[in-house]
Amino acid sequence: MTTKSWRETVPGGWITEAGNALEYKTGDWRSEKPVFIPENCINCLFCWVFCPDDAILVEDGKMKGINYDYCKGCGICARECPTKKKALVMEDE
């Protein structure tokens, strides 16, 4: 499967083929990005549960990072992180 830039999407956001979301890298839409700080993570996976883009990388039940190809920088993951020292912080792109 080849991935496409968001610039190659159909104007107006029309879905012409079901199940083709992985073909489009939409991460360059963002102006901010979440930065993962592993030493602050308690692996609650709230970030993964609430991420609307499935951009949180999880392996063996633990947060491993962020897939910036698909992360649009909405900040929901950082907002939902329950730790006092945040495991995800938003930074300018």
Side-chain angles (χ1 to χ4, degrees), residues 1-9 19-28 67-71:
M1 171 175 52
T2 60
T3 56
K4 302 173 185 175
S5 159
W6 70 268
R7 290 176 180 86
E8 297 175 81
T9 59
N20 69 352
L22 290 177
E23 294 180 27
Y24 298 95
K25 292 184 179 181
T26 54
D28 58 354
N67 185 339
Y68 290 117
D69 285 344
Y70 301 102
C71 172

Side-chain angles (χ1 to χ4, degrees), residues 34 46-47 50-52 73-83 86-90:
F46 283 9
C47 54
F50 287 100
C51 177
C74 66
I76 294 172
C77 58
R79 187 180 66 230
E80 295 300 326
C81 182
T83 60
K86 295 291 188 178
L88 290 161
V89 295
M90 298 302 289

Side-chain angles (χ1 to χ4, degrees), residues 31-59:
S31 59
E32 289 186 309
K33 68 177 182 180
V35 175
F36 179 47
I37 306 168
E39 60 270 16
N40 295 345
C41 185
I42 61 171
N43 292 302
C44 66
L45 299 181
F46 283 9
C47 54
W48 176 76
V49 169
F50 287 100
C51 177
D53 296 312
D54 196 28
I56 304 299
L57 300 174
V58 176
E59 187 177 299

